[in-house]
Amino acid sequence: PDRPGGLMDYAKSKTLAERAAWDYQAANPGFDIVTILPCFIMGPAPTGDGESVAYMKDILRGSKGAVPRSSMSFVDVRDVALAHLRAVQLPEAANQRFILYNERVLLRDVYGWLSKYNDRGAKVPTTLAEGEDTLDGDPIDNSRSKTVLKIEYTPLAKTMTDHAEQLLAAAAI
């Protein structure tokens, strides 16, 4: 919350909630906590609701006229579930925070992985929007999630295509 320009309300609420958890533990010692901090979660979903499902449906339905020239950070929902399980099972996870982040990718790559579904009724754009791609590097350190929780991140192409396959199989597109 103390960043120039502030944070989006959602991100701010997550930051304040985590801070409150650590403050509560400091004031009430005697129990362990673990915080799991995923970036944008994607992958097969148990329901047809939520931001991740809406994001995937928008791509598959061709809601954008062209492939955006930007990048995003993602993590597979199955990796997030495994991290939660291991955070409870592994004593060395106690009192730590874990950033769950696979990698930052160009949206041109994401759209490229998904465009193969156009012959199955999807309408994924294949033309690039004007401008330059922006890939700001990989500034997020996820090493603790790999070393302590032993997470081996799912390749993002698999994350995205498994999610698309699920939606197409359910006739949700």
Side-chain angles (χ1 to χ4, degrees):
D2 300 323
R3 296 181 184 175
L7 294 173
M8 299 180 318
D9 290 340
Y10 177 78
K12 185 175 182 177
S13 73
K14 295 295 186 182
T15 301
L16 294 173
E18 183 191 6
R19 185 178 293 163
W22 289 111
D23 289 347
Y24 183 82
Q25 185 203 32
N28 301 280
F31 66 94
D32 297 327
I33 65 170
V34 175
T35 55
I36 303 288
L37 310 158
C39 61
F40 192 19
I41 303 170
M42 293 296 290
T47 68
D49 298 348
E51 289 300 314
S52 300
V53 173
Y55 182 81
M56 180 60 72
K57 285 180 177 179
D58 283 349
I59 293 173
L60 294 172
R61 290 176 177 159
S63 68
K64 303 235 185 265
V67 178
R69 302 301 290 260
S70 61
S71 59
M72 285 185 69
S73 301
F74 299 101
V75 65
D76 191 290
V77 65
R78 296 162 290 197
D79 297 333
V80 176
L82 182 60
H84 279 84
L85 181 63
R86 290 188 177 159
V88 172
Q89 294 174 329
L90 300 172
E92 58 270 31
N95 301 311
Q96 295 195 58
R97 62 194 310 260
F98 296 94
I99 296 173
L100 301 184
Y101 163 86
N102 189 339
E103 65 179 311
R104 189 165 191 83
V105 295
L106 292 170
L107 291 183
R108 73 163 49 205
D109 293 332
V110 174
Y111 280 63
W113 299 326
L114 298 174
S115 65
K116 70 180 183 178
Y117 297 109
N118 287 348
D119 60 358
R120 290 179 50 194
K123 298 175 182 162
V124 178
T126 55
T127 304
L128 290 171
E130 292 196 26
E132 299 293 321
D133 287 326
T134 56
L135 186 60
D136 305 334
D138 242 353
I140 300 173
D141 180 4
N142 66 356
S143 60
R144 188 176 300 148
S145 67
K146 292 177 179 180
T147 58
V148 177
L149 299 179
K150 311 223 182 325
I151 300 297
E152 294 178 18
Y153 286 98
T154 304
L156 288 179
K158 178 173 176 44
T159 299
M160 297 299 182
T161 56
D162 285 357
H163 197 169
E165 287 283 351
Q166 178 195 35
L167 292 173
L168 289 166
I173 303 304

